[in-house]
């Protein structure tokens, strides 16, 4: 398993919405909660602050959060990208600024997936 050495960022835009992704190294659930709270404070005008993390030697502690998006459209795609990259002690937070046009569930899944993949792109080469 791999981990994130430094904070990396990614972005995805679709129909006016902006998805800003931030990948972090984390050692505990409490640390992950602190990072999410930081982004919620910094991006208080954002509509959603979604995230996923994998923690532990074998990534046995994991969670994805949709933060008000339709169930399974944000946390799961973010978590899946962490799994594909074989990361542990890692998390990605994706901040969404709503652009006024609904993307639908498929569009949301794609947006969160692509924003996360962009943040992890240099790790997965």
């Amino acid at each position: 398993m791999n981990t994130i050495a430094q904070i990396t960022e990614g972005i995805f835009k679709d129909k006016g919405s902006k998805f800003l992704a931030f990948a972090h190294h984390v050692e505990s659930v409490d640390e992950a909660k602190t990072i999410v709270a930081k982004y919620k404070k910094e991006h208080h005008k954002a509509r959603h602050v979604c995230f996923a993390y994998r923690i532990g030697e074998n990534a046995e502690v994991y969670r994805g959060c949709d933060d008000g998006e339709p169930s399974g459209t944000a946390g799961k795609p973010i978590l899946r990208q962490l799994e594909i990259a074989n990361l542990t002690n890692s998390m990605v937070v994706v901040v969404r600024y709503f652009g006024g046009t609904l993307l639908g569930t498929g569009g949301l899944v794609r947006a969160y997936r692509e924003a996360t993949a962009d943040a992890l792109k240099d790790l997965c080469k």
Side-chain angles (χ1 to χ4, degrees):
M1 294 238 173
N2 302 309
T3 192
I4 295 170
Q6 62 187 14
I7 298 170
T8 60
E9 298 179 6
I11 188 168
F12 182 79
K13 295 178 184 178
D14 190 13
K15 297 181 182 173
S17 286
K18 233 182 348 181
F19 298 81
L20 309 174
F22 305 91
H24 288 260
H25 176 85
V26 291
E27 293 287 332
S28 69
V29 172
D30 286 339
E31 185 180 359
K33 288 179 182 178
T34 299
I35 290 169
V36 171
K38 175 188 120 172
Y39 283 108
K40 284 188 176 203
K41 185 175 181 181
E42 284 178 12
H43 296 273
H44 61 276
K45 291 185 179 181
R47 180 70 62 94
H48 304 280
V49 179
C50 305
F51 66 89
Y53 57 72
R54 297 178 78 208
I55 300 170
E57 188 174 323
N58 296 303
E60 58 273 4
V61 177
Y62 57 89
R63 179 170 182 229
C65 174
D66 297 319
D67 189 38
E69 292 283 26
S71 182
T73 61
K76 281 185 181 180
I78 298 168
L79 185 59
R80 183 68 185 128
Q81 291 302 304
L82 291 170
E83 291 169 353
I84 289 168
N86 198 30
L87 292 169
T88 191
N89 292 338
S90 303
M91 79 176 301
V92 174
V93 177
V94 181
V95 177
R96 179 187 183 191
Y97 286 93
F98 183 61
T101 303
L102 295 176
L103 302 179
T105 56
L108 288 171
V109 168
R110 183 173 58 90
Y112 283 101
R113 180 186 66 228
E114 294 301 323
T116 302
D118 192 45
L120 299 177
K121 71 183 177 292
D122 292 333
L123 303 172
C124 301
K125 287 183 179 176

